[in-house]
Amino acid sequence: MVAKISFGNSLFGALAYNGEKINKDKGKLLATNRIFDDGTGKVNIRKALEDFMHFIPDRCRTENPVVHISLNPHPDDRLTDTDMENIAREYMEKIGFGGQPYMVYKHEDIDRHHMHIVTIRVKEDGKAISSSNNFYQSKRATRELEKKYNLHTAERGQAISEIPLRKVNASEGDVKKQIANTVKAVVRGYHYQTLGELRAVLSLYNIAVEETRGIARNREYYGLVYSATDDNGNKNASKREQSELAHSAEREHPRRVNPVKIGNPFKASKIGPSVGYEAVQKRFAWSKKQITEGGIAASLKEKILPILAASSNTEDFKSRLQAQGMDVVFRYTDTGRIYGATFIDHDSRSVLNGSRMCKELSANALEQHFNNPHDHGQTQQGQTTGGSAFSGADQWQSQSAPSQDYDHSYSDFYGFGLFTTDNPAVDPAEEEFRRRMQRKKKKRRGPKL
């Protein structure tokens, strides 16, 4: 059995992703802990969100407080719903989350039935549950459950996906070990075809990779170096310099921060041959074959385009993608224009530049979509253009729950993006068709004389 643990900040996104599957008869709600279950077999997403909020202190300072776990038994394991519920509850006890509020879902939309668990790592007293030993606790728990329920053990290749990837944090010390653990998992666990695509997925975990070339003893050599960065992609500068540069860049271009050096790089040879230049080059070729044969580009395109159609700005787009297990990394010019976009799908572990999938996801098309108001059309009704997750929650609440009778304040969680949501009043397919026809109309226009 393989367990995957992800940390995030969109509580509503995690609840909606799982709840909508259940409500569309693509799964079942197996169990809840300290969260109300009305026994109908459906999920009241708004009520679940309310219940979770009762357990989060008014002044919550924990970063990424939402925990999303997937438990994946081997396809040959035959488990009843009762078995799955028991396994999920015992797993939560073993990793130290037995007393936390959580919901256990069974996904049945693919042949390999599996479980998803949504919980929070903040206690009612405001203290955070440490995530530093989650991987080892999870591994021990899955091994014990495999023996107890006579399950197939995770194969070596599967074990890579068990590692819960975490951002490098220089303040925690031993930066080299942090970089090594994450780089090994990403290099061997994801599909990417260029160094730029690898660089994009590593940037999610505060790691930069660069190619080095030189001549030694009359022979040309190639290598890779990995560096720690901060959340803005900066490498190697004092905290004072980082702060000054970040504030300066944000004033000039709020959507981006210029990369500036702040840390010492580590040669790939110091980490291991599996993340070196030759290993990565081989991974490029292998990934290309896997992506082509698996039809991954076409599949991701179908998932991403409706999300793009419903998004009003880049931050809204990112939040919606994250709720579906995906990320996008934008690259900007000095003037703040988008010149590159790379998409990461964590379910299939695939990394693709937008232009590989279709013209609509290329950098130019995305720049036009988000930053050209004449082509993008009017902002969707009821949504703000500031990308506020809080405003999105207000829109969802006003449409799905017009007669709320509770007064729990959400204002303290504005910065966590706990309420990221889609706008149900917008038909994504219709929006995409409208923009496509608009572009065709422009192409048919001849040059002005």
Side-chain angles (χ1 to χ4, degrees), residues 75-126:
D76 293 336
D77 289 326
R78 296 292 179 259
L79 298 171
T80 65
D81 290 350
T82 301
D83 290 333
M84 285 190 165
E85 177 183 346
N86 292 337
I87 288 172
R89 289 191 182 279
E90 291 180 39
Y91 174 84
M92 294 297 281
E93 288 287 346
K94 291 177 183 294
I95 66 170
F97 280 76
Q100 291 296 100
Y102 61 78
M103 301 182 75
V104 182
Y105 312 84
K106 177 186 177 184
H107 285 198
E108 301 175 329
D109 53 337
I110 58 176
D111 292 337
R112 179 181 52 79
H113 291 184
H114 56 287
M115 293 161 280
H116 281 245
I117 306 171
V118 175
T119 186
I120 53 176
R121 66 185 191 95
V122 183
K123 296 181 179 180
E124 292 175 77
D125 60 4

Side-chain angles (χ1 to χ4, degrees), residues 195-424:
L195 188 63
E197 290 176 346
L198 174 60
R199 184 179 291 118
V201 65
L202 285 174
S203 71
L204 298 177
Y205 305 105
N206 290 355
I207 298 175
V209 57
E210 296 175 1
E211 182 178 352
T212 60
R213 298 185 180 187
I215 297 176
R217 297 179 182 178
N218 296 323
R219 293 182 61 183
E220 191 173 16
Y221 69 86
Y222 301 87
L224 297 176
V225 294
Y226 298 94
S227 308
T229 71
D230 62 11
D231 287 332
N232 294 320
N234 300 325
K235 301 173 293 178
N236 269 339
S238 68
K239 290 184 177 179
R240 179 179 177 181
E241 290 172 326
Q242 293 176 43
S243 177
E244 290 175 353
L245 288 165
H247 283 94
S248 173
E250 286 173 356
R251 282 194 300 270
E252 295 179 16
H253 307 297
R255 288 173 296 150
R256 64 182 296 278
V257 175
N258 292 320
V260 200
K261 284 196 169 183
I262 60 172
N264 295 324
F266 297 95
K267 293 181 180 179
S269 59
K270 299 295 184 181
I271 297 175
S274 64
V275 300
Y277 183 83
E278 292 184 3
V280 169
Q281 291 294 320
K282 291 179 180 178
R283 188 74 182 182
F284 290 162
W286 182 85
S287 296
K288 182 178 181 179
K289 181 180 178 182
Q290 297 295 314
I291 289 172
T292 301
E293 293 179 353
I296 293 175
S299 176
L300 288 184
K301 169 188 169 183
E302 296 303 316
K303 292 170 64 177
I304 295 171
L305 284 179
I307 299 175
L308 175 64
S311 302
S312 59
N313 52 63
T314 55
E315 293 305 313
D316 183 29
F317 187 39
K318 288 180 180 180
S319 295
R320 293 172 188 269
L321 287 172
Q322 288 171 354
Q324 301 296 325
M326 293 179 281
D327 276 293
V328 60
V329 175
F330 290 114
R331 295 178 293 285
Y332 297 98
T333 65
D334 290 339
T335 58
R337 178 183 175 85
I338 298 173
Y339 76 87
T342 304
F343 294 85
I344 300 101
D345 177 45
H346 299 290
D347 288 337
S348 65
R349 296 197 161 232
S350 301
V351 188
L352 287 166
N353 285 334
S355 56
R356 289 189 187 275
M357 290 182 278
C358 63
K359 181 180 178 181
E360 290 82 0
L361 296 176
S362 65
N364 286 338
L366 293 170
E367 168 66 23
Q368 187 178 50
H369 177 95
F370 291 119
N371 301 320
N372 191 327
H374 298 292
D375 290 338
H376 180 47
Q378 294 182 347
T379 305
Q380 297 168 12
Q381 183 179 3
Q383 286 188 325
T384 66
T385 57
S388 166
F390 183 65
S391 62
D394 287 343
Q395 171 73 3
W396 172 75
Q397 291 167 14
S398 66
Q399 293 181 358
S400 61
S403 58
Q404 296 180 31
D405 57 358
Y406 62 100
D407 59 358
H408 191 96
S409 172
Y410 298 147
S411 59
D412 293 327
F413 302 94
Y414 178 97
F416 292 103
L418 297 180
F419 308 102
T420 303
T421 175
D422 292 339
N423 183 350

